[in-house]
Amino acid sequence: MNRTPDSLRPLPVRISSAPEDLARLSPLLESARSAVGDVPALLELAKSAGGAAPKPGEGRTALLWEILASVTAVDVAAGRAIEPHLDAAAILAQAAGHAVLEGGDCPDFGGVHFDGAWGVFAAEAAGLRLEAKPVDGCFELHGSKPWCSLASQLDHAVVTAHLADGGRAAFAVDLHAPGVAFADPEWTSRGLTEIPSSTVHFEAVTAVPLGDAGWYYRRPGFAWGGMGVAACWLGGAVAVARGFRDSLAKAADGGREPDQLALAHLGEIDRTLTALTGYLARTAARIDAGELSGPGAWREALRVRGHVAPAVERIQALVSQNLGPAPLAFDPVYGKRMADLSLYIRQHHGMRDDAQLGALTLKGDLPW
């Protein structure tokens, strides 16, 4: 009996939710499949996901991560498009009730309507600096911000900027406002070709403060968002693994049974993904229980990301070694997925993140 391979069906990625909850993701995943390669459609997908997805720490964190992982399993670029939009929604919600920078007549973030498509721009780069200056009781942004994905096609963004006293703060900004200019992305990557990142220039652009100095980084949501990115990476790895299993099954149907090495690699992939989903399920439950709402949240985020990132690379390596060059050369879905995921996973900083975790471990309580 012929059946559609799992790697070609928009199946959800389960972390801990009940099957009936995951079944409700089908329309979103079908939309993700239809939107592949179409940036306006991807941004519409992000807005649809923003209206349906729970926010981290509100009792359904695992479902949020399942949405991120499941969309990324359909198409890595789709996951890369919706993740910052959902993160921005969470940031605005988390800012409610928090003290903000003194700004006199500056409107509070409640005046920022969460419509359109949002990004989150918090990266830094040598030679580029974005500063927030108080002007007429509010704040204006001056300077440049690097690594702003899809900026010219977004409506709003949460951006971080330097303050005069040396600190940094987060602001909501209208990307259609006068004074905003977008540099040519000059994006030559073969991965995430539809999600170019470029520099955005700000010249006296009014910005609404979100929290006070340092709030953006102090809040536990900063760590929760970092784990959400890891959920996207996991989704990409699940798609690679599903494709590998389907290729072995197709070969077996044609009379070529997988050898012991291929089976061993599939077994390793199975236990790796099972361990990762279990870890994320436990971590999501801890977030919802309030156990990761303090200084230890970022330490746990480093652990999660540090487990997921090398596991994803290991899965990619095993599959690539087994399948050889043919799918990279002739299968556009496989080739795109591998290239997209290889670039996306580079948001993890490898041993530098482990060094940061080591420093926190040296100064903190031991969990083992």
Side-chain angles (χ1 to χ4, degrees), residues 5-310:
D6 288 346
S7 57
L8 297 181
R9 292 189 292 161
L11 298 174
V13 176
R14 183 177 185 271
I15 292 175
S16 65
S17 292
E20 56 269 23
D21 291 327
L22 292 176
R24 298 189 185 102
L25 301 183
S26 293
L28 181 67
L29 302 186
E30 288 289 352
S31 296
R33 180 164 65 172
S34 299
V36 173
D38 183 341
V39 173
L42 289 176
L43 295 180
E44 287 299 318
L45 176 73
K47 289 187 283 185
S48 296
K55 295 178 176 59
E58 295 186 353
R60 295 190 297 162
T61 300
L63 180 59
L64 168 64
W65 291 353
E66 285 163 340
I67 290 172
L68 292 170
S70 299
V71 170
T72 310
V74 174
D75 177 54
V76 176
R80 180 66 184 83
I82 74 164
E83 183 278 323
H85 182 83
L86 298 186
D87 192 30
I91 292 167
L92 292 181
Q94 292 158 9
H98 283 272
V100 299
L101 295 166
E102 292 186 7
D105 297 328
C106 196
D108 64 30
F109 81 96
V112 179
H113 298 291
F114 193 79
D115 55 2
W118 282 69
V120 179
F121 306 146
E124 302 284 340
L128 297 175
R129 183 179 176 90
L130 183 63
E131 297 181 342
K133 300 179 180 179
V135 176
D136 296 331
C138 196
F139 290 88
E140 289 183 351
L141 299 181
H142 296 260
S144 302
K145 197 69 173 172
W147 291 103
C148 300
S149 299
L150 290 177
S152 64
Q153 300 187 63
L154 300 176
D155 300 297
H156 307 281
V158 174
V159 302
T160 57
H162 293 266
L163 305 171
D165 64 4
R168 278 187 288 174
F171 298 84
V173 62
D174 180 356
L175 293 175
H176 299 301
V180 179
F182 308 100
D184 183 348
E186 299 181 354
W187 191 251
T188 63
S189 173
R190 296 300 185 267
L192 297 174
T193 57
E194 60 269 73
I195 315 288
S197 291
S198 64
T199 298
V200 179
H201 305 292
F202 297 87
E203 184 177 348
V205 178
T206 300
V208 179
L210 304 175
D212 58 10
W215 170 82
Y216 177 85
Y217 301 98
R218 291 195 313 270
R219 66 191 169 91
F222 180 70
W224 303 343
M227 295 185 227
V229 173
C232 291
W233 300 338
L234 172 67
V238 167
V240 172
R242 288 171 176 170
F244 180 46
R245 188 187 69 169
D246 286 342
S247 70
L248 296 182
K250 182 179 179 180
D253 289 343
R256 183 163 55 88
E257 293 292 335
D259 61 19
Q260 288 294 98
L261 187 60
L263 291 174
H265 286 168
L266 184 59
E268 179 181 340
I269 289 170
D270 173 76
R271 60 181 171 79
T272 298
L273 291 176
T274 300
L276 289 179
T277 53
Y279 186 13
L280 286 177
R282 293 189 298 273
T283 304
R286 292 182 64 200
I287 289 173
D288 291 335
E291 296 177 16
L292 293 175
S293 58
W298 182 240
R299 189 173 170 186
E300 191 62 33
L302 289 169
R303 294 188 188 112
V304 167
R305 290 165 65 91
H307 276 295
V308 174

Side-chain angles (χ1 to χ4, degrees), residues 338-358:
M338 294 293 267
D340 288 350
L341 189 55
S342 294
L343 180 58
Y344 198 1
I345 205 72
R346 291 276 57 81
Q347 285 191 6
H348 183 247
H349 304 119
M351 292 184 69
R352 288 183 174 85
D353 279 355
D354 275 347
Q356 186 179 164
L357 177 59

